[in-house]
Amino acid sequence: MNIRSTTNKNRFMQGKEERIRKKWYYQLLLSYLPVFFIATSIIVIISFVGVRLTIGNEAKRVNEVATTQMLKNIDDALRSIDHLILKEILNNVAFDKFFDLSKETDKYLDSLEMSDRIRNIIHATPLIDSLYLYRFRDQIVLTRDERIAIEQFQDKDFLAKLLQNQQQSKWSDLREVTETNVVTNETISRKVLTLTSKVPTISGELGLIVVNVRPYAIQSMIDQMANSSYSLLDFVDKNNTTIASVRDAALPQEDRLANQTHSFTIRSSYTGWSLHSSINNSEVYGFSSAIYYGYFAFWIAAIAAGAYWIYLITRRNYKPVEALMGRLEKYKSEKSLQLLGSDKRGEFDYIEHALDHLIDRFDYQQRHVEEHVKLRQRKLLLDLLEGNFVDRNDEIVKNMLEEQGQACVIVVEIDAYEHFVELYNKHDQYLLRFVVENVCYEVSQEHGIQVWAEWVEGHQLAVLFQSRESASQVEATSRKLSQWVQDNLDFTVTIGIGSPAKSMGEVSGSYERALAAIKMKFKFGRNRVIRFNDLPETEEELIVQPKVLKMIAQSFRQGDTEWPRKLLDFVNQTTEAHAAKENVQHILQLLLFSMDREMSEVSSELRAIWKKRLLRLNEGLDTHETEIELSQFYCSELNEAYEDIKQHKDEKSHTALMHRIKEHIDKEYIDPDLTLARLGEVFQINSSYLSRTFKEEIGMNVTDYIVVSRMEKAKQLLKDTQEAVQDISVQVGYTYTMSFIRVFKKTTGLTPGEYRRLSAEA
C-alpha cells in the first residue's frame, strides 16, 4: 500500500509540473495569435480600401484626360469646317461672283457654278448636312438645288432671327430645320447644328454663309472614342440640350444616374457647348470587388498558414524556455532573484534602445511636418486665388489672414523669361526666385503689410497683401520691389496690381485683375508697375479691310518703292489701338497670309527667299513680350526680305527689263495703241515671253497693268479736277468714252460720275 501510494503521488506531482510547463507554453502561443489575426486583418482592409481609392482616382484622372481630348477632337473637326468656309471665301472665285456685284458675269451661270461648288463641299465633308448662301443686296438664298428669294425659303425664320439678334457665337444651339426635296417634293425635318460665317469675314456687308452640321456625325465621333461600359457622356449645347450621348443600354433609365460617379464637365471655348462625363460604377468598381474576394481568400489562407507557422516556431523556440522552467523549479529558492534581476537589466537595455529609435523617428517626423506645412500653404493660396473653398478655421489660414483689413493680390512676372532660363542653370534660377520672394517679404514688413507669397509659375510670383491701412501702400511696396530688382539683379520684373478684396471670396477676382494687368505689359512695356485701374475699360478690336492687306502685299511683291511707308503706316495703325496681344498677332498673321498668297506665283528662287523669312516671322509671334519689340521685329524682317528679293531681282537681267517695261507703261498709258504687241515691238521681245515674265515679276499680266495704270490716273483726275468725262477718257488713253466708262465701272464698281460725287462728299 505504501509503495502504491508513493507511486501515485509521484505521478500526480509530475502531472502538475507538466501542466505548469504547458500553461506557459499556451500563454506564449496565445499571446502571438491574436496580434497576428488583428494585424493581418488590418493590412487586408487597408489594402482593399487603398485599391478601391487608387482605382477610383485613376479612373477619374483617365476620364478627365479622355473627355478633354474628346472635346478637343470635336472642336478640331468643327474648326476644320470653319477654316474650309474661310478658305472658300478668300480663294474661290465663285463666291466672289455670287456676292460681289462688280465681279458678277452672268447671274444664272454664276449661281449654277456656286451650286455645284456647294454640292462638292457637302460631298467632301462628312460632317456637313447642308449649306446655303444668303445675299443681302437682293435677299436671294442659294442652295445646292435652287436659287430662291428669302420669303420662299423654309429656313427664313432662322435667318431673320440671326440678323435681328446679331449673335456673338458662330455656332448655334441644336435646332430643327425643314427641307423639301425638289425631286420627290418630300418634306423632311431633322436636327442640325449651324455655323454662320459673314462675307466678307470681317465686315460681313455682303451676305452670310450658313452651314448645317449633322448631330449624328458628332454622335458617331463620340461612339468611336468612348466606351459606354466604362464612361457615360452627354454632349450638350448652351441651352443644355443633348447633341450626342453615350449611355449603357443594359442599365434601366432610372439606374443610370445612380451608377455614375466622378462627374466631370468641360466647356468648349470655341462653341460654348459642354461635355458632361462620368464613370460607370458597376464596371469600374466591379473589378475592385473581384480583387476584394481574392484578397479575402488570400487572407484566410495567410491566417491558416501563419497560425500553423507560429505554432511550429513557438513549439521550437519554447524548448529553451521549457528547460529554463525546469531549472527554475529545481533551483527556485536560490536562483529566482538573480534571474529576475538579469531579466530587468535586459528590459532596460531594450527600453533605452527603443527610446533612441523613438527620438530619431520624432526628428524625421518633424522635418516631414515642416515640409507638409509648406506644401499646404502653397495649396491653400492657390485655392484662394482660384476661388476654391478654403476653411476659414484652418490654422494656416488663421495665421496668414487677419480677421479685419483689406486684401489685394499682385503678380510679379520675370521679364524676358526665355532669356532668364538660358542665362541661369536650375540651381541659380531657384536662388534668384528665392531672393525675389524674400525681398518681397522684407519690403512689405517695412510698410507694415502682411504678405503671403508663392511662385504659381516658373516666371510668376503671386503675392497676397493684407493691411488694415490704405491700399496705396500696395503700390508703394510694388514700386520699391521693382526698383530693388532693377538695381541689384541682372533682370527686371513687371508687376500687375489687382483690385482690393474685402473678403476671402473676392481674392480670386483680385488675382484675375492682376493677371489682366500683367497682360498689358505687351502694350506698356517691361519693368513697370501696372494697376488694374490703369487699363482701358474696353479693348479695341482691330479691323483691317482685306483690300488694305492685299494692297500692301501687292506693293511688296511688285517692288514698289513706297512699300516701307505703307508698312510703317499699317504698323502705326496697329500699335496706336488699345488692342490685346492676341488681336495684334491675328492681324499680323492675316498680313503674312496675304503676302504669302501674293508670293505664291513668283519664281522658285524668290519664293525660297520669302519662305525663309516667313518662317522666322511666324516663330517671332510669341517670343516678343511687348508690342514695340514685336512691331520693330516685323518691320525689320519684312524690310530685309524686301531688300533680299530686290537684290535678287536686280541680279537677273529679265527682272530689270520687266521693270523698265513697267516704267514705260506708267509714262505712256495715254497712248491708245499701247498694247502687248506694241510693247513687244518697242522692246524687241516676244509677246508671249513678255506676258509670262511680266506676270511672274510684277504680279499681273501686261493688259491688266495697263488698265490699272489708266484707272488710277482717271480716279486722280476725277477727284482733283472738274474736267468732263470725255476729256479724261482721252487723257488716260481711251478714244471712245463708252469704252472708258465700261472699263472704269468694271474695275471700281462705280461709274465715273458716281465716283466723282462720292469723292466730293468724302
Side-chain angles (χ1 to χ4, degrees):
M1 292 293 295
N2 292 333
I3 296 174
R4 184 180 297 175
S5 176
T6 302
T7 302
N8 291 335
K9 184 176 181 181
N10 291 336
R11 290 177 179 176
F12 175 80
M13 294 300 296
Q14 290 176 359
K16 182 178 180 181
E17 292 176 0
E18 183 67 18
R19 285 194 297 273
I20 293 175
R21 288 195 296 270
K22 290 296 183 182
K23 177 181 178 182
W24 286 100
Y25 171 76
Y26 293 133
Q27 287 180 351
L28 183 62
L29 181 62
L30 294 177
S31 65
Y32 294 148
L33 288 177
V35 175
F36 173 74
F37 292 153
I38 294 172
T40 53
S41 300
I42 292 174
I43 291 173
V44 169
I45 293 172
I46 292 175
S47 300
F48 170 68
V49 173
V51 168
R52 285 187 64 90
L53 292 176
T54 301
I55 292 175
N57 292 334
E58 188 64 17
K60 177 183 177 183
R61 186 188 67 80
V62 172
N63 184 50
E64 291 179 358
V65 172
T67 302
T68 304
Q69 183 62 37
M70 195 179 303
L71 184 60
K72 180 180 182 300
N73 292 342
I74 296 173
D75 282 352
D76 290 344
L78 297 178
R79 278 195 178 96
S80 67
I81 298 176
D82 197 354
H83 293 166
L84 173 63
I85 299 303
L86 176 61
K87 181 180 178 182
E88 292 291 330
I89 294 173
L90 295 176
N91 299 330
N92 198 294
V93 178
F95 279 83
D96 292 339
K97 290 181 180 180
F98 178 78
F99 286 106
D100 195 343
L101 181 61
S102 64
K103 299 179 180 180
E104 184 179 70
T105 56
D106 185 294
K107 63 181 180 180
Y108 295 105
L109 291 178
D110 293 344
S111 297
L112 182 60
E113 180 183 358
M114 189 65 248
S115 295
D116 289 337
R117 185 56 192 159
I118 290 175
R119 281 190 288 272
N120 292 336
I121 293 174
I122 294 174
H123 292 158
T125 311
L127 284 176
I128 297 180
D129 178 78
S130 61
L131 186 152
Y132 62 84
L133 283 61
Y134 174 55
R135 189 166 60 195
F136 289 158
R137 58 185 171 88
D138 53 3
Q139 297 185 347
I140 289 296
V141 176
L142 180 66
T143 69
R144 63 180 177 182
D145 299 319
E146 57 183 349
R147 180 179 184 269
I148 60 174
I150 190 173
E151 292 81 8
Q152 301 173 351
F153 189 51
Q154 292 183 337
D155 206 21
K156 63 182 179 181
D157 294 338
F158 172 73
L159 287 175
K161 184 178 180 182
L162 183 69
L163 296 174
Q164 180 180 2
N165 296 338
Q166 294 294 325
Q167 65 178 17
Q168 298 297 323
S169 176
K170 284 188 173 184
W171 287 93
S172 74
D173 289 333
L174 191 67
R175 67 187 189 93
E176 183 172 293
V177 297
T178 302
E179 182 178 359
T180 302
N181 192 310
V182 297
V183 178
T184 62
N185 202 26
E186 180 183 3
T187 301
I188 302 174
S189 297
R190 59 190 181 279
K191 300 287 187 177
V192 296
L193 301 163
T194 302
L195 167 67
T196 307
S197 297
K198 298 184 291 185
V199 180
T201 56
I202 298 178
S203 61
E205 60 188 6
L206 297 179
L208 298 173
I209 299 177
V210 178
V211 181
N212 293 324
V213 173
R214 303 181 177 100
Y216 67 80
I218 298 178
Q219 176 73 56
S220 178
M221 290 179 59
I222 293 179
D223 290 339
Q224 293 176 4
M225 293 183 288
N227 188 340
S228 62
S229 299
Y230 295 97
S231 61
L232 309 176
L233 300 170
D234 278 314
F235 187 46
V236 299
D237 60 19
K238 294 186 285 295
N239 291 328
N240 211 30
T241 302
T242 299
I243 300 172
S245 65
V246 175
R247 293 291 183 185
D248 190 353
L251 288 175
Q253 182 67 31
E254 60 271 17
D255 292 339
R256 288 177 181 171
L257 294 176
N259 284 272
Q260 298 181 24
T261 189
H262 294 311
S263 296
F264 176 72
T265 301
I266 182 171
R267 183 182 179 88
S268 169
S269 60
Y270 172 59
T271 61
W273 304 335
S274 301
L275 185 59
H276 306 290
S277 176
S278 59
I279 298 172
N280 191 340
N281 292 359
S282 61
E283 289 293 332
V284 175
Y285 291 101
F287 174 72
S288 63
S289 298
I291 292 178
Y292 166 75
Y293 291 121
Y295 263 104
F296 184 79
F298 175 78
W299 175 58
I300 296 297
I303 288 179
Y308 182 71
W309 179 259
I310 290 175
Y311 168 77
L312 294 178
I313 293 299
T314 304
R315 184 175 180 181
R316 177 180 177 182
N317 294 337
Y318 183 74
K319 291 182 178 180
V321 177
E322 186 177 17
L324 179 61
M325 290 300 296
R327 293 184 63 184
L328 284 175
E329 290 294 331
K330 184 176 181 180
Y331 303 105
K332 189 174 185 181
S333 58
E334 54 184 278
K335 296 292 183 181
S336 59
L337 292 177
Q338 295 180 10
L339 291 173
L340 184 59
S342 176
D343 289 343
K344 290 294 183 180
R345 286 193 295 273
E347 290 175 356
F348 279 117
D349 291 338
Y350 174 79
I351 292 173
E352 183 179 1
H353 176 74
L355 287 175
D356 292 338
H357 179 70
L358 183 61
I359 292 172
D360 293 338
R361 292 291 298 173
F362 177 81
D363 292 338
Y364 169 80
Q365 290 294 336
Q366 190 66 23
R367 291 193 301 270
H368 182 72
V369 167
E370 291 174 357
E371 294 174 357
H372 179 67
V373 169
K374 183 65 177 176
L375 292 175
R376 284 197 61 210
Q377 288 179 357
R378 174 181 172 82
K379 177 66 169 57
L380 287 171
L381 180 59
L382 291 177
D383 287 341
L384 279 173
L385 298 179
E386 294 172 0
N388 299 330
F389 173 78
V390 175
D391 186 7
R392 186 78 188 199
N393 296 321
D394 190 280
E395 289 297 326
I396 296 179
V397 177
K398 286 183 177 180
N399 294 333
M400 291 296 178
L401 296 179
E402 298 178 352
E403 290 296 326
Q404 302 294 332
Q406 198 173 64
C408 182
V409 178
I410 72 168
V411 175
V412 182
E413 186 174 274
I414 298 175
D415 294 330
Y417 185 68
E418 290 185 358
H419 178 68
F420 175 85
V421 172
E422 294 175 357
L423 188 61
Y424 302 103
N425 58 40
K426 292 286 187 181
H427 181 262
D428 292 342
Q429 292 175 33
Y430 174 81
L431 290 179
L432 290 171
R433 284 194 287 263
F434 179 79
V435 169
V436 174
E437 181 178 352
N438 276 273
V439 170
C440 179
Y441 279 103
E442 293 175 4
V443 173
S444 303
Q445 289 176 358
E446 293 177 4
H447 290 79
I449 300 177
Q450 186 173 349
V451 173
W452 190 355
E454 293 288 345
W455 287 94
V456 294
E457 297 286 349
H459 65 298
Q460 284 187 349
L461 175 69
V463 184
L464 175 61
F465 287 91
Q466 193 174 32
S467 173
R468 299 177 183 272
E469 300 180 11
S470 173
S472 62
Q473 290 183 337
V474 175
E475 182 177 353
T477 303
S478 300
R479 295 191 182 279
K480 192 168 183 180
L481 172 61
S482 175
Q483 188 64 41
W484 189 96
V485 174
Q486 181 182 356
D487 295 341
N488 296 277
L489 300 176
D490 293 332
F491 59 91
T492 59
V493 295
T494 299
I495 301 177
I497 302 178
S499 59
K502 297 181 180 179
S503 65
M504 282 202 313
E506 297 177 358
V507 169
S508 61
S510 179
Y511 177 61
E512 292 177 357
R513 292 172 177 85
L515 290 176
I518 278 291
K519 287 184 178 180
M520 291 308 293
K521 177 170 65 172
F522 177 71
K523 194 71 181 177
F524 297 149
R526 297 194 187 104
N527 194 23
R528 293 178 179 272
V529 176
I530 306 172
R531 299 181 305 171
F532 178 77
N533 296 335
D534 297 335
L535 304 184
E537 295 182 359
T538 57
E539 292 181 352
E540 295 182 16
E541 182 178 0
L542 289 174
I543 300 178
V544 179
Q545 295 295 335
K547 61 182 181 181
V548 175
L549 300 177
K550 186 174 182 180
M551 178 189 67
I552 296 175
Q554 288 179 345
S555 180
F556 175 86
R557 175 183 173 174
Q558 295 171 6
D560 189 358
T561 56
E562 291 295 314
W563 149 254
R565 181 188 61 79
K566 294 178 181 179
L567 175 63
L568 185 61
D569 292 341
F570 174 80
V571 171
N572 290 338
Q573 176 188 359
T574 304
T575 55
E576 288 173 1
H578 292 286
K581 182 178 181 180
E582 295 78 10
N583 199 355
V584 174
Q585 289 175 332
H586 178 66
I587 295 298
L588 293 177
Q589 285 177 330
L590 289 178
L591 174 61
L592 292 179
F593 177 80
S594 298
M595 297 179 70
D596 186 54
R597 187 168 59 179
E598 285 294 323
M599 296 297 293
S600 62
E601 297 179 359
V602 300
S603 64
S604 58
E605 296 89 351
L606 296 181
R607 183 155 182 82
I609 296 173
W610 165 248
K611 282 297 184 182
K612 182 178 179 181
R613 291 288 178 179
L614 180 63
L615 180 61
R616 292 189 58 184
L617 286 166
N618 285 324
E619 291 175 350
L621 274 176
D622 296 321
T623 57
H624 294 84
E625 288 185 325
T626 65
E627 191 174 30
I628 294 177
E629 293 175 354
L630 185 60
S631 302
Q632 291 176 349
F633 169 78
Y634 261 72
C635 289
S636 174
E637 288 293 326
L638 288 174
N639 283 323
E640 289 179 11
Y642 173 81
E643 292 299 328
D644 291 343
I645 293 173
K646 183 175 181 297
Q647 180 181 358
H648 183 80
K649 286 181 177 180
D650 292 340
E651 294 173 356
K652 296 171 63 177
S653 59
H654 68 267
T655 299
L657 177 60
M658 292 304 108
H659 280 275
R660 290 209 318 273
I661 295 173
K662 175 178 175 292
E663 293 173 358
H664 179 79
I665 295 172
D666 293 338
K667 293 179 181 179
E668 301 298 331
Y669 62 87
I670 192 172
D671 184 4
D673 297 327
L674 185 63
T675 62
L676 175 63
R678 177 71 178 274
L679 289 170
E681 294 175 359
V682 172
F683 289 91
Q684 297 181 355
I685 187 173
N686 181 271
S687 299
S688 299
Y689 175 77
L690 169 60
S691 177
R692 183 177 65 257
T693 309
F694 190 91
K695 180 174 177 61
E696 184 181 62
E697 295 297 329
I698 306 303
M700 61 180 70
N701 57 48
V702 175
T703 303
D704 289 343
Y705 189 77
I706 293 173
V707 171
V708 168
S709 299
R710 289 173 172 174
M711 292 303 104
E712 289 298 322
K713 183 61 178 179
K715 288 192 285 186
Q716 181 181 353
L717 293 173
L718 288 169
K719 185 186 300 183
D720 299 338
T721 69
Q722 295 299 321
E723 296 185 32
V725 174
Q726 294 82 352
D727 297 335
I728 292 176
S729 68
V730 174
Q731 294 183 45
V732 296
Y734 288 93
T735 305
Y736 301 102
T737 304
M738 291 305 298
S739 298
F740 166 70
I741 293 174
R742 184 176 66 255
V743 174
F744 189 91
K745 184 174 182 180
K746 182 178 179 181
T747 304
T748 65
L750 302 170
T751 65
E754 292 173 342
Y755 182 83
R756 173 174 278 172
R757 184 175 66 257
L758 292 175
S759 299
E761 293 176 355

